Amino acid sequence: MNAKPKVWVARPVFPEVLDRLRQYFEVEAQAEERPRSPAELKAGLAGADAAIVGLADRIDAAVLDGNTRLKVVANLGVGHNNLDLDALTRAGVLASNTPDVLTESVADFAWALMLAAARRVGAAERWLRAGHWPGSNMRFDDWLGLDLHGRTLGILGMGRIGQGIARRASGFSMRVLYHNRTRLPEAVEQECRATLVGKPELLAQADFLVLVLPFTQANRHAIGAPELAAMKRSAVLVNVARGGIVDDAALAAALREGRLAAAGLDVFEGEPQVHPDLLALDNAVLSPHIASASEDTRRAMANLAADNVIAAFGFGDVAGQPPTPLNPVVMSHWAAGKA
Ligand code: GLV
């Protein structure tokens, strides 16, 4: 009997997902969460037929160089700017991501950040925990925040997550504007009660601006000093997309100088480092890239990554049909025996 193919799992994941993989594969799973150097990634991938990697693992031509064994890389995330898809395709490696299963949880979390930033939840909690409440003579007009209901929500990037955020807005009686490369079908616009506008209008009108666009070089600093200057001084900015879409230094300056009311940020340029100016600001609510981190969703993401690997090797219920491939052309190369 042939030996089982091998999966290298670069990040600790749920044991039951590893057990599913073990039905078909030899599994080498990393037990420890820590940054992995390009050399470690290269060595891990060199000895494997498939890999499950995290968003911090950069898989590029250098890491793939000389690897003739690897067939599949499954990313634990919907965003895949850590993968060089051209290099993977050239190397005959199928890549996959985890769309859909995280849409609603990330949309929930965008609202958590909007609410927390608008109503100063983080700063108020820090104040309470520091013991300031007793004896503070807290006034009726202390801790005033901003209302969400009745305001204008702007969404930059109107994919599945943007639409999920928009659908929730009707519960807050908010007007929804969006800007996207392409207009949504009319039925979806109606369901989301969202109106397409140009980026300048979005910046000018939004009381809450939520970023949900993928990171590309073209989107780097899509929100920088000029865009921040075009926003209302009373506006709240929320980023659940990717670090680098916002110029964090420019954002910190705008928040510090009162040119923007507040921000809720789950992602940062150069994370896990966070710009020190942001750390010093009470009107920024900061979380460590956890928008998809609900119990159910993280399990679903890990299972979807495993499904892609299992199916790509012709195992399981959907053998030969990985559910969420990013470069499916690779499979036709396999079929033609070119890979
Ligand atoms: C999280 O950032 C993801 O892309 O899934």
Side-chain angles (χ1 to χ4, degrees), residues 50-236:
I52 294 182
V53 301
L55 301 178
D57 300 322
R58 169 100 195 123
I59 311 298
D60 58 14
V63 159
L64 295 168
D65 188 40
N67 191 328
T68 51
R69 179 172 172 185
L70 189 70
K71 221 174 145 195
V72 179
V73 167
N75 207 32
L76 287 164
V78 63
H80 49 82
N81 53 310
N82 58 316
L83 305 181
D84 181 337
L85 280 188
D86 289 340
L88 283 154
T89 305
R90 277 198 307 275
V93 178
L94 182 75
S96 66
N97 66 340
T98 61
D100 302 320
V101 290
L102 49 62
T103 300
E104 301 303 327
S105 296
V106 176
D108 284 350
F109 198 79
W111 280 90
L113 287 180
M114 270 191 270
L115 286 157
R119 298 301 302 274
R120 307 173 65 188
V121 175
E125 198 209 12
R126 283 191 291 279
W127 183 81
L128 180 150
R129 284 184 189 273
H132 295 312
W133 195 3
S136 66
N137 297 329
M138 192 175 93
R139 290 164 47 114
F140 190 60
D141 59 358
D142 278 340
W143 289 109
L144 303 183
L146 298 165
D147 282 326
L148 283 86
H149 61 267
R151 296 280 162 90
T152 296
L153 170 62
I155 302 176
L156 186 57
M158 197 61 160
R160 291 162 283 213
I161 297 171
Q163 292 165 36
I165 293 168
R167 283 197 312 274
R168 286 158 172 76
S170 57
F172 287 84
S173 307
M174 290 176 92
R175 176 170 79 121
V176 182
L177 305 177
Y178 76 96
H179 181 68
N180 201 39
R181 269 174 315 176
T182 50
R183 184 172 182 172
L184 297 179
E186 216 174 299
V188 180
E189 280 189 345
Q190 274 168 18
E191 192 203 329
C192 295
R193 297 176 193 230
T195 305
L196 179 71
V197 293
K199 189 174 169 188
E201 192 178 345
L202 189 81
L203 295 171
Q205 300 265 337
D207 296 305
F208 291 81
L209 179 63
V210 184
L211 311 179
V212 222
L213 60 174
F215 183 86
T216 60
Q217 274 313 315
N219 287 341
R220 185 171 176 274
H221 290 187
I223 301 294
E227 290 76 17
L228 292 163
M231 292 175 68
K232 297 180 183 178
R233 294 177 84 87
S234 56
V236 175

Side-chain angles (χ1 to χ4, degrees), residues 191-330:
E191 192 203 329
C192 295
R193 297 176 193 230
T195 305
L196 179 71
V197 293
K199 189 174 169 188
E201 192 178 345
L202 189 81
L203 295 171
Q205 300 265 337
D207 296 305
F208 291 81
L209 179 63
V210 184
L211 311 179
V212 222
L213 60 174
F215 183 86
T216 60
Q217 274 313 315
N219 287 341
R220 185 171 176 274
H221 290 187
I223 301 294
E227 290 76 17
L228 292 163
M231 292 175 68
K232 297 180 183 178
R233 294 177 84 87
S234 56
V236 175
L237 178 72
V238 167
N239 188 3
V240 287
R242 273 292 178 275
I245 291 175
V246 176
D247 178 342
D248 284 349
L251 173 62
L255 289 168
R256 190 174 50 240
E257 293 159 18
R259 290 185 278 112
L260 194 72
L265 307 171
D266 189 48
V267 288
F268 304 89
E269 260 184 309
E271 65 185 49
Q273 303 307 319
V274 176
H275 197 291
D277 292 356
L278 287 173
L279 291 172
L281 289 167
D282 248 1
N283 55 348
V285 176
L286 312 175
S287 54
H289 203 148
I290 55 168
S292 68
S294 75
E295 173 85 39
D296 290 348
T297 292
R298 282 284 164 94
R299 277 183 206 282
M301 290 166 69
N303 273 307
L304 182 53
D307 289 343
N308 276 287
V309 173
I310 291 168
F313 279 81
F315 301 129
D317 295 343
V318 287
Q321 293 170 51
T324 53
L326 288 165
N327 54 351
V329 68
V330 166

